[in-house]
């Protein structure tokens, strides 16, 4: 097996049974904030044009580069598609012209024309842009694990595909924390040091658990070439910087007794055969080492080459074209109205400050309004041009645009709150309903609602849409208008697909639930009561503490 490294998580895998192009990223991402490090400007893109297979792990723009895929990759490639509940990745690839797909099942190995694949998909709202994945490939002689950014939990299932000859793993920061927060300098240094240590220690745990013959540090770090962000780069192996480079991590592995780390830069070709891994770099070894030993000079030259690209992107940002308050009110308030568990999770106010306007997202009242000097829990200072861009383009995931750009400042009162950031990646009803359904499923709260003489489960068995908002009932058939799935109320049978039954029972008593209507029988039947949500039933004993408080 021959692997050409493309930078970040990108690689081109060549086998006797075909080739696989993985996560190619060439164009600057996140408002021209992130660039591949080292530079992949000299990689032969024509070599990548006609792969047998294409694998895009997830939709973050340092993995999914639509401009490159549109311009360089032929549309006859067969896409290896992770098993995500929402088909956002498939839609994005179809929009670029790809039509051939292998629909994998999570952690289930498949064989296609001599190659064996397995993809492990992560599907929690906090994972990537509503999903991340790991690819495993076996060509009959060599097995590799391309972990990229993902953090699979079921290592037994992962290792069932092994043993692995080579393991490509993320080891460095790919986040805005703590750099954008307005913390005191000593606190910033302590947080940065802890983050750096945790990143490398987590990668080391995966390496030990998987036990591959060779390990290639990949999927980071990016580099920052804009003047405003240039200081984020780790020029001098600063132990408080969250972006250690590949050589730092390989030395960290060696200090932990592991000498199987291998350095690849964009254009490096690695040949893996069992316990042998030979490397051919595109530059003399001395020049490869100089990239890392004199990083500041290297990045200053890189910045000079890319400055016209940065300037052009900045010049294209809109200014003064949008009334931000009105636009966010019209967009966000209908979403906040649906965000029952997200609102409880945030349980506060988020202030967006774009200099000319200060706007509050109030998750207590689920309203968007001009700030009136009241207390806030999270504050984001964002250039209004970035807000206008996201509004004009109706960007569904601001994590994948504004937040990963690091082009903002943040303050918070209290601990990190994942619900705040998850809200900003769920800016359509479909995305939000998926997150809400995921949270509901994890709380073990029984939720029922009443309609047309039936007591019905609140969440659609398909993708957990809230049926109190998205159900349409006609002639005894419930249609979930989010995705069009249908269910027969009398039997609960799904009319759209095998399986996926809907819980629905005729109402026999107005204010209690009949014994046969709930699992647990007589002991739990009388314990279901109405909360402040008039059309839903909950077992108060099962409610999380935050939900109990909000409904008290």
């Amino acid at each position: 097996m021959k692997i050409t490294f493309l930078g970040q998580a990108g690689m081109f895998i060549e086998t006797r049974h075909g080739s696989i192009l993985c996560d190619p990223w060439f164009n600057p991402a996140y408002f021209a904030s992130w660039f591949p490090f080292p530079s992949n400007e000299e990689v032969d893109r024509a070599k990548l044009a006609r792969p047998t297979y294409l694998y895009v792990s997830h939709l973050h723009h340092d993995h999914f580069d639509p401009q490159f895929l549109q311009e360089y990759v032929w549309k006859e490639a067969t896409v290896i598609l992770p098993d995500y509940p929402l088909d956002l990745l498939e839609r994005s690839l179809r929009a670029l012209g790809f039509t051939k797909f292998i629909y994998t099942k999570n952690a289930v190995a498949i064989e296609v024309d001599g190659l064996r694949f397995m993809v492990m998909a992560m599907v929690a709202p906090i994972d990537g842009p509503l999903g991340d994945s790991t690819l495993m490939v076996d060509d009959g002689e060599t097995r590799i694990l391309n972990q990229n950014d993902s953090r699979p939990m079921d290592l037994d299932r992962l290792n069932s595909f092994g043993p692995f000859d080579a393991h490509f793993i993320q080891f460095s920061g790919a986040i805005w924390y703590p750099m954008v927060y307005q913390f005191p300098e000593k606190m910033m240094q302590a947080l940065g040091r802890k983050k750096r240590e945790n990143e490398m220690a987590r990668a080391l745990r995966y390496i030990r658990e998987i036990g591959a013959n060779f390990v290639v540090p990949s999927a980071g770090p990016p580099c920052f070439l804009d003047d405003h962000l240039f200081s984020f780069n780790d020029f001098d192996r600063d132990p408080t910087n969250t972006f250690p480079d590949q050589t730092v991590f390989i030395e960290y592995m060696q200090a932990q007794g592991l000498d199987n780390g291998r350095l690849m830069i964009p254009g490096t070709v690695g040949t893996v055969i069992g316990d042998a891994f030979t490397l051919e770099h595109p530059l003399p070894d001395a020049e490869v080492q100089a990239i890392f030993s004199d990083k500041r000079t290297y990045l200053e030259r890189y910045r000079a080459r890319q400055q016209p690209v940065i300037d052009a992107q900045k010049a294209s940002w809109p200014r003064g074209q949008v009334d931000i308050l009105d636009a966010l009110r019209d967009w966000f308030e209908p979403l906040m109205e649906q965000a029952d568990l997200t609102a409880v999770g945030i349980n506060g106010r988020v202030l967006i400050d774009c200099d000319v306007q200060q706007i509050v997202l109030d998750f207590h009242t689920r309203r968007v309004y001009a700030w009136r000097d009241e207390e806030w829990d999270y504050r984001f200072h964002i250039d209004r041009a970035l807000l206008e861009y996201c509004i004009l383009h109706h960007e569904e995931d601001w994590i994948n645009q504004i937040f990963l750009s690091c082009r903002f400042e943040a303050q918070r009162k209290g601990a990190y709150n994942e619900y705040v950031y998850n809200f900003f990646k769920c800016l359509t009803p479909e995305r939000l309903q998926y997150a809400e359904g995921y949270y509901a499923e994890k709380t073990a709260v029984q939720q029922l609602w009443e309609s047309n003489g039936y007591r019905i489960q609140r969440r659609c068995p398909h993708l957990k849409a809230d049926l109190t908002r998205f159900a349409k009932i006609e002639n005894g058939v419930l249609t979930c208008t989010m995705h069009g799935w249908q269910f027969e109320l009398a039997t609960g049978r799904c009319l759209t697909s095998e399986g996926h039954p809907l819980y629905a029972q005729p109402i026999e008593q107005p204010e209690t639930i009949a014994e046969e209507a709930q699992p647990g029988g007589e002991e739990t039947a009388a314990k279901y009561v109405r909360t402040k949500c008039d059309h839903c039933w909950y077992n108060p004993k099962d409610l999380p503490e935050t939900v109990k408080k909000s409904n008290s």
Side-chain angles (χ1 to χ4, degrees):
M1 185 181 292
K2 184 181 293 184
I3 302 168
T4 303
F5 188 64
L6 308 179
Q8 193 71 350
M11 61 183 74
F12 184 62
I13 305 169
E14 297 173 271
T15 79
R16 56 181 177 167
H17 303 295
S19 58
I20 311 166
L21 178 61
C22 303
D23 286 349
W25 172 42
F26 288 88
N27 295 288
Y30 314 123
F31 294 112
S33 293
W34 289 33
F35 289 77
F37 174 81
S39 166
N40 59 6
E41 294 163 286
E42 300 303 318
V43 168
D44 181 6
R45 303 186 188 191
K47 175 182 176 180
L48 316 176
R50 298 172 69 88
T52 313
Y53 303 99
L54 170 68
Y55 168 72
V56 176
S57 61
H58 61 295
L59 280 169
H60 277 156
H61 289 313
D62 56 318
H63 298 258
F64 172 64
D65 183 346
Q67 181 180 341
F68 174 81
L69 294 174
Q70 179 74 63
E71 294 177 357
Y72 285 95
V73 182
W74 74 328
K75 304 310 177 283
E76 292 299 308
T78 299
V79 178
I80 303 169
L81 200 65
D83 186 12
Y84 292 140
L86 296 181
D87 63 349
L88 304 173
L89 177 57
E90 179 182 355
R91 284 184 234 165
S92 297
L93 290 167
R94 285 190 181 278
L96 296 175
F98 295 96
T99 61
K100 299 178 179 179
F101 294 86
I102 295 174
Y103 296 91
T104 65
K105 295 295 183 182
N106 184 40
V108 175
I110 60 172
E111 294 190 21
V112 183
D113 297 333
L115 285 178
R116 194 165 66 101
F117 304 113
M118 190 166 86
V119 178
M120 291 188 70
M122 303 173 62
V123 298
I126 199 171
D127 294 326
L130 299 186
D132 203 340
S133 65
T134 294
L135 174 68
M136 286 146 275
V137 181
D138 178 1
D139 69 353
E141 295 178 344
T142 302
R143 281 185 294 274
I144 68 166
L145 169 62
N146 175 13
Q147 189 174 338
N148 60 77
D149 293 358
S150 72
R151 301 173 189 176
M153 303 300 291
D154 192 341
L155 295 182
D156 288 339
R157 295 180 74 180
L158 188 152
N159 277 321
S160 70
F161 194 91
F164 294 100
D165 299 298
H167 180 186
F168 293 76
I169 186 170
Q170 183 194 52
F171 64 97
S172 185
I175 194 68
W176 53 86
Y177 172 86
M179 302 88 68
V180 303
Y181 279 93
Q182 303 304 290
F183 294 139
E185 182 61 28
K186 287 188 177 180
M187 183 176 177
M188 289 285 284
Q189 291 177 356
L191 292 173
R193 184 185 301 272
K194 183 177 180 181
K195 180 69 173 173
R196 181 183 178 111
E197 291 171 352
N198 288 345
E199 289 162 352
M200 295 199 293
R202 181 184 64 243
L204 187 71
R205 285 195 295 273
Y206 275 111
I207 290 167
R208 291 194 187 280
E209 288 287 341
I210 291 161
N213 291 335
F214 299 97
V215 175
V216 178
S218 61
C223 62
F224 303 88
L225 302 183
D226 190 1
D227 289 343
H228 180 64
L229 307 172
F230 199 58
S231 63
F232 289 171
N233 298 297
D234 183 15
F235 296 114
D236 304 308
R237 295 173 168 243
D238 180 355
T240 70
N241 187 288
T242 62
F243 299 106
D245 64 41
Q246 293 89 330
T247 61
V248 171
F249 185 71
I250 289 173
E251 291 173 15
Y252 172 79
M253 289 178 60
Q254 292 169 345
Q256 302 297 320
L258 298 173
D259 62 359
N260 59 338
R262 296 294 183 267
L263 174 65
M264 299 181 77
I265 67 170
T268 296
V269 177
T271 302
V272 188
I273 302 177
D275 58 359
F277 191 178
T278 59
L279 296 175
E280 182 180 347
H281 294 306
L283 301 171
D285 288 349
E287 292 184 35
V288 171
Q289 292 303 318
I291 295 171
F292 303 94
S293 62
D294 190 7
K295 190 184 299 182
R296 185 179 296 273
T297 298
Y298 178 82
L299 289 179
E300 286 173 346
R301 292 170 178 168
Y302 192 0
R303 174 174 59 177
R305 296 194 302 272
Q306 293 295 330
Q307 194 64 52
V309 175
I310 297 171
D311 292 342
Q313 284 218 20
K314 285 185 172 181
S316 72
W317 297 346
R319 293 189 183 276
Q321 299 181 28
V322 177
D323 185 312
I324 295 174
L325 174 58
D326 285 348
L328 293 187
R329 181 188 294 119
D330 292 345
W331 185 356
F332 285 7
E333 282 193 352
L335 294 172
M336 294 166 74
E337 179 61 29
Q338 300 175 26
D340 296 335
L341 296 178
T342 299
V344 169
I346 294 174
N347 194 31
R349 301 185 185 95
V350 177
L351 175 64
I352 298 178
D353 183 352
C354 56
D355 292 328
V356 295
Q357 288 179 302
Q358 291 79 39
I359 298 163
V360 172
L361 312 183
D362 189 335
F363 286 89
H364 295 302
T365 64
R366 308 202 201 183
R367 292 177 52 238
V368 178
Y369 53 83
W371 186 40
R372 301 186 294 253
D373 291 328
E374 67 267 63
E375 290 290 321
W376 46 262
D377 299 278
Y378 260 78
R379 173 186 173 273
F380 298 118
H381 183 268
I382 304 171
D383 187 331
R384 70 166 296 150
L386 306 189
L387 292 172
E388 290 194 33
Y389 179 95
C390 288
I391 291 168
L392 290 171
H393 292 83
H394 202 75
E395 292 289 344
E396 301 176 359
D397 181 355
W398 286 16
I399 299 299
N400 206 11
Q401 288 290 352
I402 292 176
F403 292 100
L404 280 170
S405 77
C406 301
R407 294 185 183 277
F408 72 105
E409 296 176 352
Q411 293 173 276
R412 70 186 190 213
K413 297 175 181 176
Y416 169 76
N417 187 331
E418 71 179 55
Y419 290 91
V420 172
Y421 289 104
N422 284 347
F423 174 77
F424 284 106
K425 67 170 73 169
C426 294
L427 298 179
T428 64
E430 179 184 35
R431 287 171 172 263
L432 183 64
Q433 284 298 308
Y434 174 69
E436 287 284 300
Y438 184 90
Y439 298 144
E441 194 173 67
K442 297 301 179 184
T443 61
V445 176
Q446 295 287 345
Q447 301 184 40
L448 304 174
W449 64 295
E450 297 174 0
S451 182
N452 286 249
Y454 285 87
R455 193 163 286 124
I456 309 164
Q457 72 181 64
R458 181 172 180 178
R459 293 285 167 181
C460 177
H462 174 220
L463 288 177
K464 314 304 180 190
D466 185 347
L467 294 176
T468 67
R469 294 183 168 95
F470 294 97
K472 177 181 179 182
I473 299 176
E474 292 181 344
N475 301 320
V477 174
L478 181 150
T479 300
C480 176
T481 59
M482 178 63 74
H483 296 102
W485 280 45
Q486 294 187 315
F487 306 87
E488 185 178 64
L489 290 178
T491 64
R493 183 168 61 94
C494 179
L495 304 178
T496 306
S497 177
E498 291 294 326
H500 303 88
L502 177 79
Y503 177 85
Q505 288 290 325
I507 297 173
E508 297 183 3
Q509 300 178 25
E511 290 298 328
T512 62
I513 296 181
E515 177 180 343
E516 65 270 21
Q518 281 297 327
E522 186 176 1
E523 180 181 351
T524 60
K527 295 182 181 178
Y528 287 77
V529 297
R530 292 188 187 280
T531 67
K532 87 178 197 181
C533 181
D534 289 337
H535 47 251
C536 298
W537 293 79
Y538 299 86
N539 182 346
K541 180 169 68 72
D542 291 338
L543 286 167
E545 289 301 321
T546 52
V547 178
K548 289 180 186 176
K549 182 178 179 181
S550 71
N551 285 327
S552 61

